């Protein structure tokens, strides 16, 4: 009998060299991303009773990427009840924007106010008309809003 495939077939010479070695460059050691982060304290404006309103994290300064630049411009939403130690004002949400970073402190400025959704739903009722008014307001500092 004639067998076209012999049992001692040889592979092509010089091919598939990486079979035994594995992937090129090896596997990178997996690092915990939180090892590269620092915690910063959030400082609310002086108009509120509570100055320390929370903490935030940010990747450490590395090369040309500076940590304070990634913190500036962030907007945080804090309950007015937490800022003034008054739970009756808990339905108001105050937006505070990070303007400056000093050491491990982020200095925040007032950026806006909003109501919680449950409070908005309780104010607007079915089958009642909603009257919206636009009023020019003058602050004690002489600014018009």
């Amino acid at each position: 009998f004639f067998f076209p495939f012999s049992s001692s077939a040889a592979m092509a010479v010089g091919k598939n060299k990486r079979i035994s070695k594995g992937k090129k460059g090896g596997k990178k050691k997996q690092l915990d991303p939180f090892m590269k982060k620092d915690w910063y304290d959030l400082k609310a404006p002086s108009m509120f009773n509570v100055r320390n309103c929370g903490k935030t994290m940010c990747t450490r300064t590395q090369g040309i990427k500076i940590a304070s630049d990634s913190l500036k411009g962030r907007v945080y939403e804090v309950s007015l009840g937490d800022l003034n130690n008054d739970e009756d004002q808990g339905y108001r949400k105050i937006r505070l924007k990070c303007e400056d970073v000093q050491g491990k402190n982020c200095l925040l400025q007032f950026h806006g106010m909003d109501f919680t959704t449950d409070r908005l739903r309780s104010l607007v009722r079915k089958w009642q008309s909603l009257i919206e008014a636009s009023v020019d307001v003058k602050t004690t500092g002489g600014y018009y809003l």
Side-chain angles (χ1 to χ4, degrees):
F1 296 110
F2 174 75
F3 293 103
F5 303 106
S6 67
S7 60
S8 61
M11 288 179 61
V13 179
K15 302 286 183 187
N16 300 330
K17 290 181 179 177
R18 301 213 57 83
I19 289 177
S20 61
K21 293 182 183 176
K23 295 229 187 258
K24 191 172 186 177
K27 195 166 189 173
K28 241 183 159 177
K29 194 163 50 170
Q30 189 68 29
L31 287 173
D32 186 24
F34 288 97
M35 297 297 287
K36 298 177 185 170
K37 309 255 182 214
D38 280 335
W39 286 94
Y40 291 83
D41 293 320
L42 300 177
K43 300 286 185 183
S46 57
M47 66 180 100
F48 301 111
N49 295 341
V50 178
R51 291 296 308 273
N52 271 355
C53 61
K55 287 184 173 286
T56 189
M57 68 169 51
C58 169
T59 307
R60 286 192 190 108
T61 299
Q62 189 174 24
I64 60 168
K65 199 167 186 184
I66 300 169
S68 62
D69 289 345
S70 67
L71 285 169
K72 286 178 186 171
R74 288 189 187 184
V75 177
Y76 302 95
E77 207 165 70
V78 187
S79 168
L80 185 61
D82 293 338
L83 288 172
N84 284 337
N85 284 331
D86 183 11
E87 287 304 314
D88 293 336
Q89 298 174 340
Y91 59 87
R92 286 190 176 105
K93 296 184 293 187
I94 303 295
R95 284 196 302 279
L96 301 170
K97 186 175 183 179
C98 180
E99 296 291 336
D100 192 23
V101 179
Q102 293 179 348
K104 293 283 182 191
N105 295 329
C106 294
L107 304 180
L108 307 176
Q109 287 296 320
F110 181 79
H111 190 64
M113 190 202 77
D114 200 6
F115 287 116
T116 56
T117 52
D118 61 313
R119 179 67 178 187
L120 276 174
R121 302 295 184 269
S122 70
L123 291 174
V124 179
R125 307 260 173 180
K126 269 188 172 181
W127 315 120
Q128 292 183 359
S129 60
L130 176 67
I131 301 170
E132 290 190 21
S134 180
V135 181
D136 292 336
V137 179
K138 186 177 180 184
T139 64
T140 53
Y143 293 105
Y144 282 99
L145 301 176

